[in-house]
């Protein structure tokens, strides 16, 4: 009897020790060898990013010219004032705008400049005097009697970052500085709404982050028209010649691009890298057949059918083999001899004077009629030189819209200087930089937060060190960009926001994230079960047996005690 | 990834009409995008007068680079009764990619290829896609030879620092342009031949560090490769000879090959400045017997289901050549409509006579305004001159362990011997025993005068064997080498491993003695088909012959094996472990032996009877 008892005890001990080995050595070993590598991510900082508080601030100088302030007022002009506005866009995004307004009187040099005969000259010489930094603006207040501005113009907005504001009777009436400033302030605000960031712009830039109810269709059309922010763009000009048998077209695209487009792009270079190329496509047809209009004696293309125009053409345009940046297409379509002249009519059945249309985030098409350039007895093929000035004017306008320049008409009483050969005023560039910085920050934060969410939800994804590094650098760049925006350093803010977006996209689209994503659990178990089931069942059973025996013995002991 | 789809969905909805705005939470983002894309909002462009900037002068024209486009079709009736049609399209652009100036304005030259050349600093690019094998013995030499499958060879400019990385990127881009699986080109099938592939354009580069050569013998060529190829033509397939290129007919043929060749060429005979030449060639051999026509008759319409009505208006020359050398008195076939134009050209060491149809002349199309060339055979007699050089290759041996590759090269010249360069590339999984390499001609050992052998590295690079051999007159030279088949990892097998593994064609390049004096004057106006390979001397011409690709079986495992192995080993482990466990944990004690079956039955009966059990 004693030997069997010893045997039983030995068996129990053996079972216990095997179970112990399995639990202490086997389970950790299995755990360690099947673990996926997940580098540390700054989750807490990412969570902070999901609550975005953007603080945009800009410096504004208000300069009073001679004759606008009485000496009494001059003494009491405050040095600085700040204008604050706060908007909660949604529960997790708050916008704050600050305009730091500095008041001073004009220097002698500025007085000289302001006494120039025309506003444009004054603008130029004021610019020569001092160059205001990126993002800031200067408003010159000139007396009512000044002849600088025409009769009906109250505010002149120059090509740089300056505006000239004429005092009116209402301001004159104000005796104290406070009264004067009280009248002046709304006007300055109006000027700033044109020249500096505006709430509609900024909220449109946030569209990647904030979901709007499609209420205001107009503002949405604008924000949807422009290309989203990208580190580079490819601009392709294509000349479509569906009828090379009758028209032999020549376009001096090289020279035209150098003259019209390049200055504009050079100015935009802080925003993104642009590269241009051009091609000629022969036998490229539009997707719709234009209808002949007897009254007009011409072929008509209706606005409704324009959506179908580009699809067959697009197949021929080809993608850019050398880069993956978004492509802006500008097509110049010369209708064939049988189908010309060709005119485009808008939704109101009116002919479009420019004969050009553009499609949001895609590019533009211009129809160039050549029918009147040769007589009926001309010998085919006709050599035709295309007037590039006309074409490029249209393409430049389309390019401005596609890049995101606002085209809303200025408020009444405002006169905006023509943008000259460059095609872009400094303040327009500033506005674009504001909204692009905000857009980049918004996109980068959504990318990072959704990546973090994804990684959090799916435990199978391997997070390599380089991804963790990209994520952290994106987070730091976003924080830096937000800080620079708050400090009013627009250039740096844009730079950091670009870095943020690059790093976040790189992390998000890294192929290493996908490696183990589709390794389903049922397959794992199909492989484990043949090994684990036969091994674990005896261990479990003997453990249960030991436990029940121990309980029984305990009960017996209790019974004995009683 | 969810994030991406929702944003794009959102954007499209907002551009689209309001009816789509309600489906903001619909997960079918893709479908929505498609639908709303149709409804892209088009807006008219208002141009402010002030922005027209019409006062500024456009920069004057910088003496725009001249571009020239030529198209050509050669038709050669073959002795086997087949028809060989060879299209060539050539664009010459007098510009310089090499000096580093950025070229970005394209007219006739396709933009996609131009961008590739300037981005990857390519000096020369040759790419071909071939379906079927060119039968040299029956058909003679093709104008532009190509191996079955895809072939790509590129010379880079010496400014390229990391050639391998550039090559990798280039193959990926080309794979996108031509819709082909060129992205499967990696270091395991890329070669750097030392002598076989010299640049065909100008420039004496000999440093083969800048050369990369790869073939994909498995590649299947079809419509999806033809469409992008046609897109590179200035007239597309809308006008000129390219209207004949209908894929349903072209791929219903014995042999189909399309290629793109880009190289720098001389602008004039002094060769002071270079220009870029893009040659697109398409060779096709139609089989008349299988197409079910008992009459031996051939016409453009029957072959291509199209007739010609015009030349490409952008082409400076557009011609059809019909080889009538073997038919001087129309005794073999009859050609209609007849043409008064005849032309002679020296091509592949032979002076050939051609009937020429010039499509730029209205006369060619006659009164019906359409050209439908027709050939009617009268007799099937006449024999072909055997090609001076041709080659064969096969695998010998049995079993799945070792084998032997035989390459046979035929010199059919009655009295002249000539040298050939043999290039052999063998994948790493066939391990060549280079000591078994034997070259025998006419029963005697033939010692190669130059051997360049690069052994393979497993999963890194293939074997490369280049030899310069002298082929004696009227002889067969046999090169044999033994190999061993390697075992692959189970992920390295192709999707259908029992089909076998392809080994690319051997390439034999040679200067074959010519029977007539070759033209070495490159500036003379020549038909395109005779000017592809540059000719340096009068007495010989350059020929490149490709052998058949090999199909080799490798030992193939059963692919459900891993799971079976897991199950089996687990069961074995479990059984072993179970018995060990039992031994360790069970306690053994003597039990009362069970009463026998008879006794138990007896007991049951006894219990029923009420008698005490036994």
């Amino acid at each position: 009897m004693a030997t069997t008892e010893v045997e039983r005890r030995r068996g129990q001990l053996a079972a216990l020790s095997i179970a112990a080995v399995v639990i202490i050595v086997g389970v950790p070993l299995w755990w360690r060898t099947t673990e996926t590598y997940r580098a540390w991510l700054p989750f807490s900082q990412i969570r902070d990013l999901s609550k975005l508080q953007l603080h945009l601030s800009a410096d504004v100088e208000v300069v009073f010219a001679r004759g606008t302030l009485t000496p009494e007022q001059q003494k009491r002009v405050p040095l600085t004032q700040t204008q604050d506005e706060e908007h909660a866009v949604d529960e997790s995004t708050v916008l704050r705008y600050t305009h730091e307004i500095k008041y001073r009187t004009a220097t002698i040099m500025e007085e000289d400049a302001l006494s120039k005969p025309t506003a444009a000259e004054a603008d130029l010489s004021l610019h020569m005097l001092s160059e205001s930094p990126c993002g800031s603006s200067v408003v010159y207040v000139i007396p009512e009697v000044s002849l600088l501005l025409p009769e009906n113009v109250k505010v002149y907005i120059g090509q740089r970052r300056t505006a000239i504001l004429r005092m009116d009777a209402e301001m004159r009436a104000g005796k104290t500085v406070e009264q004067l400033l009280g009248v002046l302030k709304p006007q300055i605000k109006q000027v700033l709404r044109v020249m500096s960031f505006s709430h509609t712009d900024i909220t449109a830039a946030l569209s990647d982050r904030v979901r709007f109810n499609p209420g205001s269709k107009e503002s949405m059309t604008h924000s949807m028209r422009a290309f989203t922010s990208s580190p580079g763009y490819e601009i392709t000009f294509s000349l479509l010649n569906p009828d090379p048998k009758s028209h032999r077209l020549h376009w001096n695209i090289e020279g035209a691009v150098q003259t019209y487009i390049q200055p504009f792009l050079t100015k935009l270079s802080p925003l993104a890298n642009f590269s241009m190329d051009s091609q000629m496509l022969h036998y490229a047809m539009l997707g719709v057949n234009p209808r002949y209009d007897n009254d007009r004696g011409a072929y008509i293309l209706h606005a409704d059918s324009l959506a179908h125009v580009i699809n067959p053409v697009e197949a021929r345009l080809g993608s850019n083999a050398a880069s993956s940046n978004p492509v802006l297409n500008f097509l110049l379509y010369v209708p064939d001899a049988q189908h010309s002249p060709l005119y485009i009519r808008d939704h109101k059945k009116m002919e479009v004077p420019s004969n050009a249309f553009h499609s949001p985030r895609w590019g533009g098409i211009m129809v160039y009629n050549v029918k009147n350039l040769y007589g009926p007895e001309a010998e085919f093929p006709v050599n035709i030189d295309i007037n590039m000035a006309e074409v490029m004017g249209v393409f430049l306008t389309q390019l401005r819209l596609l890049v995101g320049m606002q085209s809303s008409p200025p408020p009444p009483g405002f006169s905006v200087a023509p943008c000259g050969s460059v095609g872009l005023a400094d303040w327009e560039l500033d506005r674009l930089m504001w909204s692009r910085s905000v857009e980049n920050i918004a996109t980068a934060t959504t990318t990072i937060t959704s990546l973090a969410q994804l990684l959090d939800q799916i435990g199978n994804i391997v997070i390599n060190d380089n991804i963790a590094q990209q994520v952290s650098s994106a987070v730091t760049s976003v924080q830096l960009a937000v800080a620079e925006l708050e400090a009013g350093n627009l250039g740096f803010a844009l730079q950091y926001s670009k870095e943020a977006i690059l790093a976040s996209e790189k992390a998000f689209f890294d192929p290493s994230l996908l490696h183990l994503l589709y390794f389903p659990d049922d397959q794992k178990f199909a492989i484990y079960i043949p090994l684990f089931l036969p091994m674990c069942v005896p261990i479990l059973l003997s453990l249960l047996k030991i436990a029940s025996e121990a309980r029984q013995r305990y009960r017996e002991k209790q019974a004995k005690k009683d | 990834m969810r994030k991406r789809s929702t944003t794009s969905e959102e954007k499209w909805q907002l551009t689209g009409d309001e009816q789509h705005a309600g489906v903001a939470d619909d997960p079918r983002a893709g479908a929505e995008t498609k639908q709303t894309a149709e409804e892209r909002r088009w807006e008219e462009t208002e141009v402010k007068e002030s922005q027209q900037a019409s006062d500024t002068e456009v920069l004057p024209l910088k003496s725009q680079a001249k571009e020239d486009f030529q198209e050509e079709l050669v038709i050669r009736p073959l002795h086997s009764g087949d028809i060989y049609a060879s299209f060539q399209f050539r664009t010459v652009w007098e510009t310089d990619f090499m000096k580093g100036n950025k070229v970005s304005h394209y007219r006739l030259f396709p933009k996609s290829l131009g961008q590739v050349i300037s981005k990857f600093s390519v000096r020369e690019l040759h790419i071909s896609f071939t379906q079927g094998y060119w039968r040299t013995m029956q058909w003679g030499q093709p104008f532009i030879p190509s191996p079955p499958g895809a072939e790509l060879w590129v010379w880079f400019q010496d400014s390229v620092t990391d050639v391998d990385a550039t090559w990798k990127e280039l193959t990926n881009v080309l794979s996108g342009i031509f819709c082909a699986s060129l992205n499967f080109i990696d270091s395991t099938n890329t070669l750097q031949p030392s002598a076989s592939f010299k640049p065909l354009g100008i420039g004496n580069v000999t440093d083969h560090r800048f050369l990369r050569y790869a073939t994909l013998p498995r590649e299947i060529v079809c419509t999806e490769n033809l469409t992008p190829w046609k897109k590179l033509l200035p007239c597309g397939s809308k006008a000129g000879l390219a209207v004949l290129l209908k894929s349903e007919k072209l791929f219903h043929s014995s042999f189909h090959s399309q290629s793109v060749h880009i190289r720098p060429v001389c602008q004039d005979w002094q060769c002071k400045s270079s220009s870029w030449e893009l040659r697109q060639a398409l060779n096709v051999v139609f089989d008349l017997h299988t197409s079910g026509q008992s009459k031996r008759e051939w016409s453009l319409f029957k072959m291509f289901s199209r007739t010609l009505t015009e030349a490409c208006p952008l082409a400076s020359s557009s011609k059809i050549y019909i080889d009538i050398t073997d038919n001087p008195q129309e005794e073999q076939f009859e050609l209609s409509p007849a043409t008064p134009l005849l032309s002679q050209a020296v091509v592949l060491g032979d002076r050939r006579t051609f009937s020429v149809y010039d499509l730029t002349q209205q006369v060619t199309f006659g009164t019906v305004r359409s050209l439908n060339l027709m050939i009617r055979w009268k007799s099937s007699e006449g024999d072909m001159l055997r090609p001076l050089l041709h080659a064969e290759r096969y695998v010998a041996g049995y079993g799945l362990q070792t084998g032997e590759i035989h390459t046979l090269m035929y010199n059919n010249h009655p009295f002249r011997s000539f040298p050939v360069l043999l290039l052999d590339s063998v994948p790493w999984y066939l391990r060549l025993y280079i000591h078994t390499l034997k070259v025998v001609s006419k029963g005697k050992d033939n010692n190669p005068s130059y051997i360049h052998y690069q052994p393979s590295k497993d999963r890194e690079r293939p074997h490369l064997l280049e030899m310069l051999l002298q082929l004696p007159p009227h002889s067969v030279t046999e090169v044999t080498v033994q190999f061993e088949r390697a075992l692959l990892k189970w992920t390295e097998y192709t999707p259908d491993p029992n089909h076998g593994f392809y080994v690319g064609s051997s390439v034999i390049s040679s200067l074959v003695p010519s029977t007539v004096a070759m033209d070495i004057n490159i500036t003379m106006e020549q038909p395109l088909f005779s000017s592809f390979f540059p000719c340096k001397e009068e007495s010989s011409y350059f020929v490149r012959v490709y052998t058949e690709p090999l199909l080799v079986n490798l030992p193939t495992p059963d692919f459900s094996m891993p799971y079976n192995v897991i199950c089996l080993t687990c069961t074995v482990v479990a059984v072993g472990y179970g018995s060990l466990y039992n031994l360790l944990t069970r306690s053994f004690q003597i039990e009362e032996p069970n009463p026998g079956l008879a006794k138990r039955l007896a007991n049951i009966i006894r219990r029923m009877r009420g008698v005490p059990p036994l």
Side-chain angles (χ1 to χ4, degrees), chain B residues 526-544:
Chain B
Q526 279 174 319
L528 295 181
F529 59 87
S530 64
S531 62
F532 182 61
F533 288 116
C535 197
K536 299 242 165 59
E537 46 189 307
E538 284 189 356
S539 60
S540 60
Y541 63 99
F542 183 82
V543 164
R544 189 167 281 151

Side-chain angles (χ1 to χ4, degrees), chain A residues 4 7-8 10-12 14-15 18 207-208 210-211 214 217 220-221 224-225 228 236 244-245 248 251-260 276-280 282-283 306-308 310-311 314-317 319-323 346-347 352 354 356-362 365 388-390 393-394 396-398 400 418-419 421 443 446-447 450 454 505 508-509 526-527 530-531 534-535 538-539 542, chain B residues 1-4 6-7 9-18 21 24-25 37-48 50-62 64 102-108 110-112 115-116 119-120 173 177 231 233-236 238-240 310-314 563 566-567 569-571 573-575 577-578 580-590:
Chain A
T4 52
E7 271 291 287
R8 239 168 41 82
R10 192 192 55 75
Q12 283 181 355
I18 287 176
S207 65
D208 209 25
V210 183
R211 208 174 263 257
K217 210 169 159 188
M220 282 308 124
T221 342
M224 289 303 127
R225 185 193 295 137
T228 48
T236 301
K245 250 172 111 178
R248 192 158 284 172
W251 69 340
N252 178 12
I253 183 73
E254 221 160 315
V257 153
Q258 280 304 323
T259 321
Y260 300 115
M276 282 182 292
D277 46 33
S278 77
Q279 61 181 345
M280 261 187 186
H282 305 277
Y283 291 103
L306 284 166
H308 312 288
I310 52 164
N311 288 358
E314 205 166 11
R316 297 261 337 250
L317 291 179
S319 52
N320 195 318
S323 87
D346 60 12
H347 293 278
V352 180
S354 62
F357 268 71
H358 59 266
S359 172
R361 299 188 183 179
W362 184 82
I365 296 188
M388 291 314 280
E390 187 189 336
V394 173
L396 193 61
T397 318
Q398 291 178 337
R400 277 170 55 91
C419 41
S421 61
T443 318
T446 31
T447 313
S450 49
L454 193 77
E505 301 275 294
F508 195 89
F509 291 110
I527 290 173
L531 183 65
M535 283 183 84
I539 295 178
S542 50
Chain B
M1 312 307 114
R2 171 76 188 134
K3 174 229 161 195
R4 288 289 126 176
T6 47
T7 48
E9 177 191 5
E10 214 173 319
K11 281 163 193 166
W12 278 115
Q13 273 154 13
L14 292 164
T15 14
D17 278 318
E18 271 172 326
D25 292 312
E38 294 286 299
E39 295 166 24
R40 269 187 202 177
R41 179 168 289 274
W42 284 81
E43 297 169 65
E44 58 188 291
T45 309
E46 300 158 27
V47 182
K48 291 182 203 151
S50 57
Q51 280 155 10
Q52 280 218 348
S54 44
D55 47 338
T56 29
E57 276 292 306
V58 184
L59 288 184
L61 267 176
K62 258 199 287 171
Q64 226 165 35
K102 218 173 154 298
V103 183
S104 45
H105 301 287
Y106 300 90
R107 289 184 301 143
L108 292 179
K111 183 170 82 112
S112 54
Q115 281 176 334
V116 167
K119 182 174 181 198
F120 298 106
V173 168
I177 291 179
K231 244 198 239 174
L233 296 170
C235 281
K238 298 276 171 48
E310 58 175 347
C312 171
L314 307 163
Y563 186 70
I566 290 172
C567 285
T569 41
C570 288
T571 316
V573 166
V575 166
Y577 160 82
L580 188 74
Y581 187 83
N582 275 344
L583 269 178
L584 286 174
T585 57
R586 288 275 162 89
S587 54
F588 296 95
Q589 41 189 300
I590 299 154

Side-chain angles (χ1 to χ4, degrees), chain A residues 13-33 532 536 539 543:
Chain A
L13 276 178
L16 278 176
S17 54
I18 287 176
V21 167
V22 166
I23 290 162
I24 294 165
V25 181
V27 171
L29 190 74
W30 167 73
W31 190 258
R32 285 302 296 273
T33 46
F532 280 112
C536 292
I539 295 178
L543 283 180

Side-chain angles (χ1 to χ4, degrees), chain A residues 267-464:
Chain A
K267 189 112 193 211
L268 274 181
S269 58
L271 227 50
N273 299 321
F274 290 89
S275 71
M276 282 182 292
D277 46 33
S278 77
Q279 61 181 345
M280 261 187 186
L281 296 175
H282 305 277
Y283 291 103
M285 308 284 185
L286 295 186
V288 284
N289 281 329
R291 266 191 298 120
Y292 187 71
D293 191 306
N294 274 323
D295 308 335
R296 182 68 178 79
Y299 286 85
I300 298 296
L301 205 58
H302 276 287
D304 308 325
S305 58
L306 284 166
H308 312 288
V309 160
I310 52 164
N311 288 358
V313 178
E314 205 166 11
R316 297 261 337 250
L317 291 179
S319 52
N320 195 318
S323 87
S324 50
N325 289 329
V327 182
L328 283 82
N329 290 292
F330 293 100
L331 310 185
L332 182 65
Y333 180 77
V334 179
D336 46 333
Q338 282 82 42
H339 290 98
S340 52
L342 176 66
Y343 295 103
I344 301 175
R345 279 196 187 159
D346 60 12
H347 293 278
K348 294 176 213 114
K349 305 262 180 267
M350 296 294 289
E351 247 164 54
V352 180
S354 62
N355 221 5
F357 268 71
H358 59 266
S359 172
R361 299 188 183 179
W362 184 82
I365 296 188
M366 180 183 177
V367 176
Y368 189 88
N369 284 312
V370 295
K371 185 89 174 178
N372 48 0
L373 297 183
Y374 55 86
E377 68 283 346
E379 198 179 317
F380 289 119
V382 195
N383 279 317
I384 291 162
D385 276 312
I386 289 169
N387 177 9
M388 291 314 280
E390 187 189 336
V391 173
M392 283 298 150
V394 173
F395 283 165
L396 193 61
T397 318
Q398 291 178 337
L399 183 60
R400 277 170 55 91
L401 290 172
L402 292 170
V403 165
M405 229 77 80
Q406 196 107 26
S407 61
S408 56
F414 276 54
S415 151
V416 178
C419 41
S421 61
V422 176
L424 180 69
D426 282 359
W427 56 269
E428 281 180 304
L429 180 67
D430 284 354
R431 278 182 71 123
L432 211 53
M433 282 166 77
W434 286 114
S435 55
R436 280 296 144 113
S437 312
V438 172
E439 188 186 336
N440 286 351
I441 291 172
T443 318
T445 51
T446 31
T447 313
I448 288 290
T449 43
S450 49
L451 176 66
Q453 214 179 339
L454 193 77
L455 295 178
D456 208 28
Q457 274 172 6
I458 306 175
N460 257 346
I461 297 181
V462 179
I463 309 175
N464 285 329

Side-chain angles (χ1 to χ4, degrees), chain A residues 70-98:
Chain A
T70 56
E72 180 65 22
Q73 285 171 328
Q74 232 171 67
K75 267 182 227 156
R76 301 188 48 202
V77 165
L79 277 178
T80 55
Q81 266 187 342
T82 47
Q83 270 185 10
D84 256 327
E85 261 181 88
E86 194 164 317
H87 299 268
V89 182
D90 67 355
E91 61 271 17
S92 62
T93 315
V94 180
L95 288 174
R96 251 180 83 196
Y97 308 120
T98 310

